[in-house]
DNA sequence: CTGAAAGCGCTAACAC
DNA sequence: GTGTTAGCGCTTTCAG
């Protein structure tokens, strides 16, 4: 059943039917009702491809997932983000188009997406410091929103990010307030922008307490259980071992926990652990009280906001790129406290 | 730059250019070379929408992700699967279209996808026993491949699955061979087909050793760290506690491990743990020797195979639905052993 | 071997 | 208010 058939059945022209179905004002109310009833009855669905060709709008958003050849892992965070964005698209009648691209082929991929013209906009995932994709997309004239930011890029661009530096600054201050002086940072790969910001927040809090960061108490790498374990194991053997760990992921925190067990240390008594957890949020309930969580699992919400922002940009391009900075919520032993003010 | 422009530049008709670019045999080799060079030079990309409209093929595959309102979680496995499938699509020139659908709206969603006609086929995720989606898709005449199977569906359909029951049978037999007699099963939600099969494999191994399953040593639920912990904690307090745990996910296994620690038990000496791990495979290295892993992280490979199978079905529909059953690899203390034969 | 012409199903000027 | 008429950019008969 296509538009022409439907129109024939109704004794109307395709144009009128199209207008009635797309909510144009000039259609008589009676006709509209009649058309809508018929459309329902015959279970009519406009052909997407035809619509796209005619309007020049793809009615689809592209998500480009960079996949490193280095680390085989696909960030599990991504699933939650996608779910959030998907909700928004579904409501707005957009499709979500996923492209998995090896790190090395980013540029080619973006250009191809652009010229194939099957998306109206793009969500950029996993930005790195000074990420060249931002300038590229700007050049290509393809609307985009970055999930995260890229330090070092000065031209304004649209993004949605969690305030990573402030979250880590606060978490560090929290440990300092408990009296800790030797705090270890188990961070993600610092080429990734979010990890970079987390370290800055950590260092800012130390500086505010007149402490200088100890390189032996800082590691950056894949955020796995093994990373946390190995890092903690090594650090605990230092002449001046840390009394607290701040980790970038719940998995790393679980690794640290294991290292403590192995050394017969009691978490929360001998050593404290604070972790940022936007990754496997549902794991949080598995953490016993002494593990403090520095932020809620906000990835899904970030997905919704990215999508909403992008759709808005597409429907009515704003003069200046918008942006949103979500504040991490501090969760201490299961209870949630408000986010105090502070630097970005 | 569109086909017409390109043709004009070349002094050819759009028809010839189209044919040259699409590998039709009747084009003179010289012309083809010339056309291809020009296409590259002008960076020509055929407009996807137009191509789709003209051919009636969407050149896209839909992945429909059911999202339960019960459990807020998006299965992280999914990210790896998608990555695998994405590789295949990219090579074949297909787009990957993701749809996130609440459990309750599955049927409506599939019908809509069908009538909008923007995919040529569908991958079904997270099948349950007797899943009604299979019959529905069959009715709709939409090619599909199921990732997993649906117990109770007798009509043949295309699927790619890991041999879950055999994996769990072997893992159980492994523990039995070590002398364990009270083995606990910490399973996923048994409405999900994979969990059902895992339990069957577990019970089959017990039966073969003339043991009957003890309901107090079996739980099914969300596969989280908390689940493993709580289940193990409770079971360890039974008058006849288990001496081994078989879990359906690495997260659950980590929870069990925590429960052991809390009770001062030593893993691998007092209690053994075997876990199926297709979930967070990269965590496996973080597990110390006494945790045995019953299967490799094969999700990505499953993604590749599902995609390949579906594309093949679309390009040349086979008389009978194909299927693939991947065998899980047994990993013991870091070393990989071959999969012995056995029942399905 | 190459080209002209007719669509694919829809939208959007432009009449009436 | 409604209909007529061109396209959107490509593929695909059908002629030459």
């Amino acid at each position: 059943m296509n538009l022409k058939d439907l129109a024939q059945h109704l004794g109307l022209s395709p144009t009128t039917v199209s207008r009635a179905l797309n909510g144009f004002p000039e259609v008589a109310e009676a006709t509209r009702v009649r058309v809508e009833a018929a459309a329902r009855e015959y279970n009519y669905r406009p052909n997407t491809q035809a619509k796209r060709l005619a309007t020049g709008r793809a009615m689809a958003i592209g998500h480009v997932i960079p996949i490193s050849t280095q680390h085989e892992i696909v960030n599990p965070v991504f699933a939650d983000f996608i779910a959030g964005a998907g909700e928004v698209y579904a409501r707005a009648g957009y499709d979500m188009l996923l492209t998995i691209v090896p790190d090395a082929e980013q540029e080619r991929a973006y250009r191809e997406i652009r010229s194939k013209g099957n998306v109206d906009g793009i969500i950029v995932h996993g930005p790195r410091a000074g990420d060249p994709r931002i300038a590229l997309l700007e050049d290509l004239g393809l609307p985009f929103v970055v999930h995260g930011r890229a330090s070092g890029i000065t031209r304004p661009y649209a993004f949605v990010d969690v305030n990573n530096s402030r979250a880590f600054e606060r978490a560090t201050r929290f440990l300092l307030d408990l009296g800790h002086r030797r705090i270890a940072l188990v961070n993600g790969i610092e080429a990734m922008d979010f990890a970079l910001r987390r370290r800055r927040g950590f260092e800012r809090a130390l500086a505010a307490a007149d402490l200088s960061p100890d390189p032996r108490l800082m590691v950056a790498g894949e955020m796995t259980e093994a990373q946390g374990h190995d890092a903690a194991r090594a650090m605990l053997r230092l002449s001046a071992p840390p009394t607290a760990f701040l980790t970038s992921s719940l998995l790393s925190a679980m690794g640290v926990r294991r290292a403590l067990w192995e050394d017969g240390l009691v978490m929360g008594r001998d050593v404290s652990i604070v972790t940022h957890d936007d990754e496997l949020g549902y794991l949080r309930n598995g953490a016993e009280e002494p593990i403090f969580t520095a932020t809620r699992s906000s990835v899904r919400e970030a997905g919704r906001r990215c999508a909403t922002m992008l759709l808005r940009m597409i429907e009515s391009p704003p003069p200046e790129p918008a942006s949103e900075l979500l504040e991490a919520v501090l969760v201490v032993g299961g209870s949630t406290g408000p986010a105090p003010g502070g630097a970005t």
Side-chain angles (χ1 to χ4, degrees), chain A residues 10 12 16 20 25-38:
Chain A
L10 283 160
L12 287 169
T16 305
E26 65 260 42
V27 180
E29 200 45 38
T31 341
R32 161 161 297 131
V33 172
R34 209 159 62 85
V35 170
E36 275 168 352

Side-chain angles (χ1 to χ4, degrees), chain A residues 221-300:
Chain A
E222 298 271 1
M223 302 180 291
T224 62
E225 206 259 8
Q227 177 211 27
H229 173 264
D230 297 351
R233 194 176 179 81
M235 289 176 183
L236 289 170
R237 273 155 188 58
L238 293 172
S239 55
T243 62
F245 285 84
L246 176 53
T247 76
S248 224
S249 109
L250 196 49
L251 288 179
S252 305
M254 290 175 77
V256 172
R257 186 178 70 183
R258 176 156 61 94
L260 297 188
W261 283 339
E262 287 170 358
D263 280 7
L265 296 168
V266 174
M267 178 167 50
R269 188 193 69 191
D270 305 320
V271 175
S272 293
I273 304 178
V274 173
T275 181
H276 182 99
D277 161 29
D278 59 9
E279 179 161 311
L280 293 164
Y282 52 89
L283 235 181
R284 200 166 51 208
N285 297 326
E288 53 276 71
E289 294 290 302
I291 286 193
F292 300 105
T293 311
T295 158
R296 74 187 156 146
S297 173
S298 55
V299 185
R300 189 132 167 203

Side-chain angles (χ1 to χ4, degrees), chain A residues 66-74 102-104 128 189 191 222:
Chain A
I67 192 168
S68 169
T69 41
Q70 314 286 341
H71 32 111
E72 169 83 9
I73 309 151
V74 179
D103 260 351
R128 295 161 171 260
I189 296 171
E222 298 271 1

Side-chain angles (χ1 to χ4, degrees), chain A residues 5-6 42 56-57 66 83 97 103 148 151 161 186 188 228 237 288 306 311:
Chain A
D5 296 345
L6 184 62
Y42 295 112
R57 312 237 281 109
L97 221 129
D103 260 351
S151 301
D161 199 4
V186 181
R237 273 155 188 58
E288 53 276 71
C306 269
L311 294 188

Side-chain angles (χ1 to χ4, degrees), chain A residues 127-131 149-154 157 193-194 196-197 200:
Chain A
R128 295 161 171 260
D131 202 309
R149 276 174 288 177
S151 301
I153 304 280
T154 51
Y157 56 90
D193 193 80
F194 75 89
L196 201 59
R197 287 177 195 272
R200 289 207 204 105

